[in-house]
Amino acid sequence: MPTRRLAPPFIARDQEAKLWELRAAASLARLWRDQGRRGDARDLVVPVYNWFTEGFDTPDLKQAKALLDKFDA
């Protein structure tokens, strides 16, 4: 039986649920940021955030943008 990856961003990606992938990636990125893994955290969120072409006024995308802005500061 194949091993299933259990990290939430990857589960969402496998299911093609981009909003859930963004939420999970942002959550994991905050954890990594707090652990000093800022580069990994940013690298996780950027491709998911950049996938979106609209909806930038929604809470999830606003929060992801704010998180990315903190990494870039």
Side-chain angles (χ1 to χ4, degrees):
M1 176 179 230
T3 306
R4 177 119 175 113
R5 293 174 287 174
L6 297 178
F10 305 111
I11 292 171
R13 184 179 307 146
D14 290 347
Q15 296 174 356
E16 298 182 12
K18 285 295 184 184
L19 185 58
W20 287 107
E21 183 179 350
L22 179 67
R23 288 178 180 175
S27 180
L28 184 56
R30 284 189 290 276
L31 174 67
W32 285 355
R33 175 200 61 200
D34 295 346
Q35 294 176 340
R37 297 176 58 189
R38 292 177 59 90
D40 292 334
R42 186 183 186 291
D43 291 346
L44 180 65
V45 177
V46 166
V48 183
Y49 181 82
N50 287 341
W51 181 88
F52 289 89
T53 59
E54 59 185 329
F56 294 102
D57 59 340
T58 62
D60 292 303
L61 286 166
K62 284 181 178 180
Q63 289 173 6
K65 176 68 169 133
L67 182 62
L68 290 173
D69 288 346
K70 288 181 183 178
F71 292 136
D72 292 337

